[in-house]
Amino acid sequence: MKQFPAFLDLSGRRIVIAGGGAAALQKARLFAAAGAELFVVGRPLVPALAEELADRAVLIERTAVANDFAAATLAVVAEDDEARAEALAAAAREQGALVNVVDRPELCDFLTPSIIDRGEVVVAVSTGGAAPVLGRRLRAQIETLLPARLGELAAFARSFRRAVAGKVPPPLRRRFWERFFDGPLAAQVLAGDARGAREAMLAEINRADAEAAGEGVVHIVGAGPGDPELLTLRALRLLQEADVILYDRLVGEEILALARRDAARVYVGKAKSNHALPQEEIEALLVRYAREGKRVVRLKGGDPFVFGRGGEELDALRAAGVRAFVTPGITAATGCAAAVGMPLTHRDHAQAVTFVTGHAKGEGDPDLDWSALARLGHTLVVYMGVGKARRIAENLIGAGRAPATPVAVVENGARPDQRALKGTLAELGALIEEGGVKGPAILVVGEVAALAEACTLDALARELAERAAA
Ligand SMILES: C[S@@+](CC[C@H](N)C(=O)[O-])C[C@H]1O[C@@H](n2cnc3c(N)ncnc32)[C@H](O)[C@@H]1O
């Protein structure tokens, strides 16, 4: 570590900035936010100084001199002239101030970091003056990870510190707070409802006992269709907090890589007719880990409540008395639709959309109301329908859907190996077979499918012919 980070209470402390340009303005903004007694001395002063800071800083329009630094805790020199900057820095240091000279790290006693300011919660990033742009990049990345109301959450927790200390004995206190920050109350505060959370927090404190403090928790989390950027911010946070992650076949390595390095990863995935773990065993494992006091994430492709058996897992956890929460994910239908520019509803083409599973028990047809699904102006999205595509098309045509109805097939949507094909309902079986679609894929039937950015059977045949000729 080249520099030691420390957080200063600057309220009422004198800070003097020598210089009146853009760099001085930038530093003045930083220190004004910290409640310091701020002096800016320079000539000329950029107008924004007066516009933004007239009520929070003393602005003096003249060249800075050594005496300006008297009684200053911190001094910032934002002067272009190198010799003048060095002389002012020396004078400030002589009078007991810690000095920062803009863009001259070798002359600095302290550096100003890139700051993420959430009120009570402050994160500072420094590259030791080596690469300020990198520092700003890191700040932007961290910004996206931190909920906007983090400061409110910290203030909320502070307001209950004494009450918790009075009720929960020290060995269990940390666990209490971990449960609070992982649980629905913190989520409620982060969602802007601190008032509503207060009563429940009091009840929680009153209930706090040894047993509750040892409890684990299971979060059933949707990982989206594959692209890590389609994770929700909450899913990302839960992944980074989890002790154990139980994940499915459809969750890729790129998403797992976002988890804490030391989290245990348990593959429980299922491929059709290749069940890695029966459903009851997955549920038993979730209960067992939670009872060991672990923070468990059950990570599922897409959304856990859309053909994801999330409902069964939630039931099992509730029946076992385990605290469980659900974080939604982007389901394959919406993820794939966005990836190929195909709206699922459209004022001109489709006023309704239905998600169905093409999966049937055994070899038969899925048990669906084909005439309801064959309606005009209606988009049908079939999950797990690749193996039954031909039968699905026959059933829909038999129920009155026109053979010329547009269809699209999106395989590995929102992943690097995404493929999209389109044609007519009569061609659906051929699209799957000639396109070599293995899945995971969704089938989309309805007028909107014509809008998909996808390859047609003709184009596919040309492509195959060209490949064979090459
Ligand atoms: C067991 S279901 C899980 C659905 C998941 N819970 C969701 O909300 O997307 C698996 C089916 O989802 C569809 N699927 C999941 N991810 C997909 C992707 N990236 N591209 C296309 N289809 C996908 C396929 O139809 C696959 O057979």
Side-chain angles (χ1 to χ4, degrees):
M1 187 171 18
K2 256 187 91 189
Q3 269 103 19
F4 183 81
F7 290 86
L8 298 178
D9 181 356
L10 289 177
S11 47
R13 301 285 190 135
R14 177 168 296 196
I15 296 176
V16 178
I17 298 177
L25 170 66
Q26 204 192 349
K27 299 286 185 193
R29 278 186 191 131
L30 278 183
F31 289 114
E37 188 195 12
L38 188 59
F39 287 76
V40 183
V41 191
R43 187 159 64 194
L45 294 176
V46 286
L49 274 164
E51 284 157 19
E52 290 182 35
L53 299 167
D55 54 343
R56 285 182 288 163
V58 179
L59 305 175
I60 304 169
E61 188 145 25
R62 65 162 166 73
T63 308
V65 294
N67 279 348
D68 288 328
F69 299 106
T73 301
L74 300 180
V76 176
V77 180
E79 293 268 357
D80 291 338
D81 183 306
E82 290 193 0
R84 260 187 64 67
E86 279 169 34
L88 286 170
R93 197 168 288 121
E94 217 163 83
Q95 292 173 78
L98 288 173
V99 177
N100 173 281
V101 184
V102 173
D103 288 339
R104 306 276 304 272
E106 74 285 3
L107 293 182
C108 290
D109 300 318
F110 74 94
L111 299 177
T112 50
S114 294
I115 293 172
I116 298 144
D117 183 359
R118 297 277 197 282
E120 307 250 352
V121 180
V122 176
V123 181
V125 178
S126 168
T127 57
V133 173
L134 175 62
R136 286 198 282 279
R137 282 263 159 92
L138 289 172
R139 185 192 66 175
Q141 283 171 3
I142 297 169
E143 280 275 7
T144 62
L145 295 180
L146 300 184
R149 295 199 175 88
L150 206 55
E152 284 166 48
L153 181 63
F156 183 92
R158 181 209 286 277
S159 70
F160 282 103
R161 271 186 72 140
R162 282 183 58 179
V164 172
K167 281 272 186 187
V168 187
L172 304 177
R173 214 172 283 156
R174 205 187 99 207
R175 195 80 195 141
F176 176 91
W177 282 116
E178 282 179 350
R179 277 192 305 135
F180 164 73
F181 287 114
D182 290 344
L185 284 183
Q188 200 175 341
V189 178
L190 290 176
D193 185 17
R195 246 162 177 249
R198 294 200 84 80
E199 208 171 303
M201 182 68 171
L202 286 172
E204 191 77 2
I205 294 170
N206 288 332
R207 224 176 328 119
D209 56 23
E211 204 186 297
E215 251 180 50
V217 62
V218 177
H219 288 277
I220 303 174
V221 176
D227 181 347
E229 294 209 340
L230 295 181
L231 278 177
T232 62
L233 293 177
R234 194 199 299 170
L236 183 58
R237 176 168 58 79
L238 292 172
L239 267 181
Q240 292 173 347
E241 289 168 359
D243 300 314
V244 190
I245 298 164
L246 283 80
Y247 65 100
D248 281 345
R249 187 174 62 97
L250 291 178
V251 176
E253 187 50 42
E254 275 179 299
I255 288 180
L256 290 169
L258 298 169
R260 241 175 54 199
R261 293 264 167 264
D262 59 339
R265 296 180 188 183
V266 184
Y267 176 68
V268 295
K270 292 171 236 145
K272 195 160 155 276
S273 62
N274 166 24
H275 286 239
L277 263 194
Q279 184 64 27
E280 313 77 66
E281 282 184 37
I282 296 176
E283 289 161 14
L285 257 189
L286 292 172
V287 171
R288 201 187 86 201
Y289 283 126
R291 289 201 173 134
E292 286 170 8
K294 302 231 162 60
R295 285 171 294 198
V296 185
V297 162
R298 171 71 176 108
L299 193 59
K300 289 168 166 291
D303 182 279
F305 279 179
V306 180
F307 306 124
R309 306 190 76 168
E312 290 162 55
E313 291 173 11
L314 187 62
D315 284 347
L317 290 164
R318 284 182 176 156
V322 169
R323 290 180 314 128
F325 306 97
V326 179
T327 295
I330 292 179
T331 189
T334 50
C336 291
V340 300
M342 169 185 60
L344 293 176
T345 64
H346 190 294
R347 276 166 71 103
D348 300 332
H349 308 298
Q351 284 67 50
V353 55
T354 304
F355 298 169
V356 299
T357 170
H359 184 67
K361 284 191 180 146
E363 287 307 304
D365 287 352
D367 183 18
L368 296 168
D369 178 352
W370 296 106
S371 50
L373 298 176
R375 287 189 319 269
L376 258 183
H378 169 237
T379 306
L380 176 64
V381 183
V382 187
Y383 289 63
M384 294 170 275
V386 169
K388 295 269 159 75
R390 203 170 273 280
R391 289 289 300 142
I392 289 168
E394 284 167 8
N395 281 320
L396 286 170
I397 292 170
R401 199 64 155 127
T405 304
V407 297
V409 177
V410 185
E411 184 183 35
N412 288 312
R415 300 178 185 194
D417 49 353
Q418 169 178 306
R419 282 201 321 146
L421 303 168
K422 69 178 177 182
T424 64
L425 186 54
E427 291 170 339
L428 183 59
L431 274 177
I432 300 285
E433 284 145 30
E434 289 168 33
V437 175
K438 302 275 181 298
I442 55 157
L443 320 178
V444 181
V445 181
E447 291 70 13
V448 293
L451 305 174
E453 289 152 21
C455 186
T456 59
L457 264 184
D458 284 352
L460 186 69
R462 274 200 303 278
E463 196 185 299
L464 292 177
E466 276 167 24
R467 245 189 266 159

